[in-house]
Amino acid sequence: MSTIEQTVSMMQAMSEESRVKVLDYVKLIYTVDATSNPYIPLSSDEILAELAVGREQNDSGMGIPFDEAMREIGVENGYV
């Protein structure tokens, strides 16, 4: 049995109150450990800087149409 299967099995046996406590703890670990969290909070300036880079890349021809990008993401992740 894999780790995820074992974890799900244990979680299913817990009360909802206990599951909420586990979820809160996992969220704490995930947000504290920046190496495992790709969604770290960004300031407004950081978001605007990332958008500016994306616009520059698109203007220089590096961008692709949205539907093509979504198809590529789907293929890469096994959804298509």
Side-chain angles (χ1 to χ4, degrees):
M1 184 181 289
S2 72
T3 305
I4 192 73
E5 291 169 331
Q6 291 174 5
T7 303
V8 168
S9 177
M10 288 186 291
M11 295 285 291
Q12 288 173 331
M14 292 179 178
S15 67
E16 181 65 18
E17 181 181 345
S18 294
R19 284 193 290 255
V20 169
K21 289 178 184 178
V22 171
L23 176 62
D24 289 341
Y25 182 70
V26 170
K27 284 196 274 187
L28 175 67
I29 293 170
Y30 190 71
T31 56
V32 169
D33 181 7
T35 61
S36 68
N37 182 0
Y39 306 108
I40 57 173
L42 299 175
S43 69
S44 296
D45 290 338
E46 290 170 317
I47 292 170
L48 293 173
E50 287 189 9
L51 287 170
V53 169
R55 288 184 181 113
E56 287 175 17
Q57 290 173 341
N58 190 55
D59 291 345
S60 69
M62 295 175 65
I64 61 174
F66 178 78
D67 57 339
E68 187 178 330
M70 292 305 295
R71 185 179 46 72
E72 285 183 17
I73 291 169
V75 169
E76 289 172 7
N77 292 286
Y79 301 125
V80 178

